[in-house]
Amino acid sequence: MPSSPPTEAFPAHTPAASQVFVTVLCHGPLTRSDIGGRAGLSAAAVTKAVRPLIEAGYLVEDVGEETRPSLGRPANPVRVDGGRALFIGVKITGDEIIAVLTDLCCRIRVARHLPLTARDPGAVLTLASELVRELLAEADGFGAPVHGLGVAVSGDVDRAAGVVRYSPFLEWHDVPLAELLGMTTGLRVTVDNDVRALTVAEQWFGAGVGLSDFALVTVGAGIGCGLVVHGRVVSGAHGVAGEIGHVVIDPAGPPCHCGNRGCVEAIAADPAIVAAVRERTGVAVTDAAGALELAHRGDQGARDVYTRAGDAIGRAIGTVANLFGPERVIISGEGLAAYDLFAEQIRDAFAAAAFGTAAQCDLKTRPLPFDEWARGAAATAIQSFIRSEARH
Amino acid sequence: MPSSPPTEAFPAHTPAASQVFVTVLCHGPLTRSDIGGRAGLSAAAVTKAVRPLIEAGYLVEDVGEETRPSLGRPANPVRVDGGRALFIGVKITGDEIIAVLTDLCCRIRVARHLPLTARDPGAVLTLASELVRELLAEADGFGAPVHGLGVAVSGDVDRAAGVVRYSPFLEWHDVPLAELLGMTTGLRVTVDNDVRALTVAEQWFGAGVGLSDFALVTVGAGIGCGLVVHGRVVSGAHGVAGEIGHVVIDPAGPPCHCGNRGCVEAIAADPAIVAAVRERTGVAVTDAAGALELAHRGDQGARDVYTRAGDAIGRAIGTVANLFGPERVIISGEGLAAYDLFAEQIRDAFAAAAFGTAAQCDLKTRPLPFDEWARGAAATAIQSFIRSEARH
């Protein structure tokens, strides 16, 4: 067993106290009065929540010239001390494991990658535990405890139970990953679907801060979608939500692995693009980079494939906007490398599909390097720590 | 001006008190302990919230044999006294106005219909005010005050502002309906989109009670959808949400009034069905009843049109399930008259379109007669009264 840091409880024991901390984490530095305004809490409630958080070092007060107004409460802004605690985020793909060490503000301090040689739970567990131990050793140099481990896996993940129900890339069924990694690392572990984890990172630390309704659409090996409605990530009553990849664009389109035809994923995900480029051009490209290169060299057949992919993504985003009216849709993922090839088509198809004022939804592209997926996992660990909901 | 009842404030002045009342309204009769369990509140908080509601007559205690346990709080269940207050709900369609008088439990006491001879705001306002006055006169006989008026209109409605932004059926733009009807009736007025209003009625009094995530899909002159996510009706950041009618099923399908092709509404709404039946059969049917009769007589062409409509509705519900993962989808609307013709197709297409466990979503049909739309409007008035949010 590794030498794990002692487990420390987060000193916010009421929903109001958690809310105050999250408000400062997402929007700080803020004065107590601004916190109250944003969180809908009284000045007294904010002051009461802030005190133990300052005492425990999670919040710090920026002492300026005017340390205390003549009447009333301190007017100095408070902010989160990011260095007060560390977290580890791990993203498991079919090919590699990516792990990051972040601070409490989810800033990456160290990143590590390891190629995956086998996909069975035992092999992945051994490798992931090894990476986590390396990062725990690195963490010693930062002088702050590691307070949680987040793990992001694509597929059907039951976060509350800490179980990967089904992961197609890994071919896993019902793997109790949180419990297993808790035993090998000694850390509190949160396991979540990778797109939902990235959505949490965007909600708390990215382009979703301050929005009660937004969507994150990821484009790459698959087409994923995280939804935030009424300020909370949508998980689905049966574990499935955000499956934008299986919105049918054309019932006469190419077959999809889900059994239908013409799903967004069967038109716009990397494997579909590679197959379509091969078919259209006769060039034996083998991966997304090869297809992209061909299109960037001006091959019209390859370019047409990207145009069609952009059309499918834009229509699917239109469907999301028509159904739940998000304020913003963030488009991201490794597929954004081709964004110059299909950006216009995404916007045009979205505008045509959006019904009435749904077209006012803001489309925002945000390149997220692969480490960001691991950072998303760290964000879920930070969330669990603040809400004291992770298993140990 | 009509003799309006004196305005009385609802005696629940905190979010917790409203929540206690709504819990009893939706689930009662309940003991205080059950209320606390469902609402996540302490016994003390429940007792504190219940007292003024009993004193004001909104809640009543069912006194049984065991009026008080030897120790602790009263164990008798409390329930809402439905007769304590009345509400009026009005649904405005392109052809008629339907108005109902309901009690506090949203049970219809009186219903009235009036055909609409003109659709301009002035004519509709006059007619609606007349109907409301009739119902106010009827209300005198029930010995309880009328505490609010809800109005449901299809289209883009800004409930908070009380304004109908755009209603295609009525050809209205920016009509401040709440303010106008408040002046002519003296009542507190809530204006909402008709599908959202029906969704509120299902959430508080129907097949959505107790569900934090469900959808209501209405089939008829249009195809509508109300969504409840995390326990709240989704309104959309820009006023559009639940536009299932414009999910594209087939990009090579018939043109839709929205400018796209093959939308659900262009395949499965009444006008589309009537047009398709005429085209397929050569029989000059003029309305949904005529098309339905032909299909019920066994005409294969007409039956095929309903099969295709069922397929489109089922696929669209699959998309909703894949994106939100609702626990249940309630299918309703006047189009259910044809349910025997497309029920199987809806279920099959839904099962094929649903991804993984999203297929576990419960599809439930619920015939709602036209009065129910007006009842939905009354439900929004009840909601506004309890939350003290209606304008006066």
Side-chain angles (χ1 to χ4, degrees), chain A residues 156 213 225 227-244 246-251 257-261 315-316 319-328 352-358 360-362, chain B residues 156 213 225 227-244 246-251 257-261 315-316 319-328 352-358 360-362:
Chain A
D156 181 359
D213 300 275
C225 177
L227 293 169
V228 169
V229 178
H230 301 145
R232 287 170 53 199
V233 175
V234 176
S235 294
H238 304 286
V240 165
E243 280 295 347
I244 195 176
H246 300 284
V247 168
V248 173
I249 297 302
D250 179 4
H257 61 87
C258 76
N260 290 302
R261 299 188 78 96
R315 282 171 184 261
T319 296
V320 169
N322 290 345
L323 287 174
F324 88 109
E327 201 164 332
R328 171 177 290 168
F355 186 75
T357 53
Q360 292 170 16
C361 170
D362 173 37
Chain B
D156 180 0
D213 300 275
C225 178
L227 293 169
V228 169
V229 178
H230 301 143
R232 287 168 54 197
V233 176
V234 176
S235 294
H238 304 287
V240 166
E243 279 295 348
I244 195 177
H246 301 285
V247 169
V248 173
I249 298 302
D250 179 4
H257 61 85
C258 76
N260 290 302
R261 300 188 78 96
R315 283 170 184 261
T319 296
V320 169
N322 291 345
L323 288 174
F324 296 92
E327 201 164 331
R328 172 176 290 167
F355 186 74
T357 52
Q360 292 170 16
C361 170
D362 173 36

Side-chain angles (χ1 to χ4, degrees), chain B residues 10 12 15 30 52 87 106 140 159 161 182 184 211 240 254 288 301 363 367-368 385:
Chain B
F10 187 64
L30 291 174
F87 296 85
C106 217
D140 283 345
R159 174 169 169 166
T184 59
L211 304 181
V240 166
L363 298 197
L368 295 173
F385 174 64

Side-chain angles (χ1 to χ4, degrees), chain B residues 378-391:
Chain B
T380 65
I382 294 171
Q383 191 179 53
S384 294
F385 174 64
I386 293 170
R387 295 184 182 160
S388 305
E389 71 189 5
R391 38 179 51 228

Side-chain angles (χ1 to χ4, degrees), chain B residues 234-318:
Chain B
V234 176
S235 294
H238 304 287
V240 166
E243 279 295 348
I244 195 177
H246 301 285
V247 169
V248 173
I249 298 302
D250 179 4
C256 181
H257 61 85
C258 76
N260 290 302
R261 300 188 78 96
C263 295
V264 180
E265 214 158 275
I267 297 172
D270 286 346
I273 288 178
V274 171
V277 166
R278 264 206 306 263
E279 196 184 314
R280 274 293 299 268
T281 65
V283 181
V285 294
T286 54
D287 58 12
L292 188 58
E293 200 199 324
L294 199 61
H296 276 156
R297 284 210 311 264
D299 183 291
Q300 194 55 46
R303 296 184 79 91
D304 290 348
V305 169
Y306 281 97
T307 301
R308 190 180 183 206
D311 180 73
I313 295 165
R315 283 170 184 261
I317 292 174

